[in-house]
Amino acid sequence: MNLENEDLIRKLNENYGSQLFTLDGCLKLKEQFDRETKTITDELDLSSEHATVAITLRNAADHCQIIAKTLSDGESCLEKVRIHLEEVDAVKAELEAYFEKLNVLECTAQYLKVIQSIEDLCDQLEVHLKSNDDELCTTAFANITEIARHLADTPAIHLRSYIKAKVDYWFGILRNKLSQDLDHVLKAIHWPFVNANLSIEAPGEGSLRKLQLIVEYLLQIDLPEELVTPLHPHGLLSNFLPLSLPIELMIAPLKKRFLFHFYGSRKTNRIDKPEWYFTKILSWIRDHSGFVDKWLQPVVDKMGLYHIEVKVDISL
């Protein structure tokens, strides 16, 4: 007897016990087993509409059909999406091309607008220059430099070069004109105040007001930092801001005197006497700092250029 039969006999003994010792009990067990067998057989009968397995299989088949239809619909939807995306990509590419053209046209329009503005201001400046109207000349030039300052970093290198050429051209003309006017006024007030000039009577009020007006014009045409190439990009002098235009012009006579005395073969040009240089410079600073602080600093402050301190600049 194999192990499976032994296990079966053991389970029969445990579950049914004494029923197995009578014929009636065995018949009842047989009837019970037959009913259970029939029930199981009926449940497994695929031809029966009410069999559990048949119902389960039919439901599974229905669900498989639903899944297949869903997959088919999904594939159809994906195909529609793919076609739609291709159409959208085509439209997108077309729109990008249109926007690129619009951008080019807009940039071109702005480019031409800037050029037209510069040309108009240059025409105005030329008219004002012929009529000797310094105020309108400096105003027009200040507008040109403001445009140049805003476009100092533009990638349009040809436009930058064009504007720079215009700025340099008119700056040279206005600087020369105002420099001549400044020279006349400086002579009238006996600037610079050195040696014999110190004993001359004080400058007239009219000359001083004229000086202030010319200084104001010179400050207006002074080029902004963005448009100036540093003379000393490296080294100690690179830490100093450039002198304002009126101060640069006003100390020119003092520079000329300094070069006359302390350069070349002059007897005063002695390397063993540096105190001569410093004494002369300190005396000039002493003689002029009070004047520029009284008459020029108010002009600078009026224009809002608070970073400029004239008596400090004149000592540089």
Side-chain angles (χ1 to χ4, degrees), residues 15-29 32:
N15 294 327
Y16 302 104
S18 59
Q19 294 184 38
L20 298 175
F21 297 110
T22 63
L23 179 61
D24 186 54
C26 289
L27 291 174
K28 288 181 179 179
L29 285 175
Q32 178 184 344

Side-chain angles (χ1 to χ4, degrees), residues 49-62:
E49 294 182 356
H50 304 290
T52 302
V53 174
I55 293 172
T56 302
L57 289 176
R58 286 197 299 272
N59 290 338
D62 292 341

Side-chain angles (χ1 to χ4, degrees), residues 61-212:
D62 292 341
H63 282 89
C64 287
Q65 291 179 356
I66 293 172
I67 291 172
K69 185 177 184 305
T70 302
L71 290 174
S72 176
D73 292 343
E75 290 177 356
S76 176
C77 183
L78 288 175
E79 180 64 18
K80 291 179 180 179
V81 169
R82 184 186 63 79
I83 295 173
H84 179 69
L85 287 176
E86 290 178 354
E87 294 174 351
V88 169
D89 287 341
V91 173
K92 179 184 175 184
E94 188 175 356
L95 287 175
E96 286 177 348
Y98 282 134
F99 282 126
E100 182 65 24
K101 290 179 181 178
L102 285 174
N103 186 50
V104 171
L105 291 174
E106 184 178 359
C107 289
T108 303
Q110 291 296 326
Y111 196 103
L112 294 175
K113 184 178 179 180
V114 170
I115 292 177
Q116 186 61 54
S117 298
I118 295 292
E119 289 295 330
D120 290 344
L121 288 170
C122 289
D123 291 341
Q124 295 174 24
L125 211 162
E126 188 170 3
V127 171
H128 300 325
L129 192 63
K130 289 179 179 178
S131 62
N132 204 31
D133 192 329
D134 292 340
E135 181 178 1
L136 292 180
C137 281
T138 54
T139 300
F141 181 75
N143 290 333
I144 294 175
T145 56
E146 184 65 12
I147 295 174
R149 187 179 67 83
H150 282 295
L151 296 176
D153 296 325
T154 179
I157 57 175
H158 297 296
L159 181 61
R160 284 208 317 265
S161 299
Y162 164 79
I163 297 176
K164 185 178 185 306
K166 292 293 185 181
V167 169
D168 292 344
Y169 172 76
W170 286 111
F171 177 73
I173 291 177
L174 292 177
R175 174 181 171 136
N176 289 338
K177 181 183 184 305
L178 293 174
S179 296
Q180 293 175 8
D181 295 342
L182 181 65
D183 286 341
H184 294 152
V185 175
L186 293 180
K187 288 178 181 178
I189 65 173
H190 308 293
W191 177 281
F193 309 138
V194 293
N195 299 332
N197 289 351
L198 295 175
S199 61
I200 299 177
E201 62 183 27
E205 185 77 13
S207 296
L208 293 173
R209 296 304 176 191
K210 179 67 173 176
L211 172 65
Q212 288 182 317

Side-chain angles (χ1 to χ4, degrees), residues 1 10 15 68 80 87 129 147-148 152 162 187 192 198 203 229 263 270-271 273 303 311 313 315-316:
M1 184 179 296
R10 182 178 57 79
N15 294 327
K80 291 179 180 179
E87 294 174 351
L129 192 63
I147 295 174
Y162 164 79
K187 288 178 181 178
L198 295 175
T229 302
Y263 272 71
R270 292 180 54 178
I271 196 171
K273 295 291 185 179
M303 299 184 66
K311 66 180 180 181
D313 282 358
S315 65
L316 296 177

Side-chain angles (χ1 to χ4, degrees), residues 171 175 182 218-219 221-222 243-250:
F171 177 73
R175 174 181 171 136
L182 181 65
L218 287 169
L219 288 171
I221 71 166
D222 206 357
L243 294 176
S244 61
L245 183 56
I247 294 300
E248 179 185 342
L249 295 174
M250 290 182 70

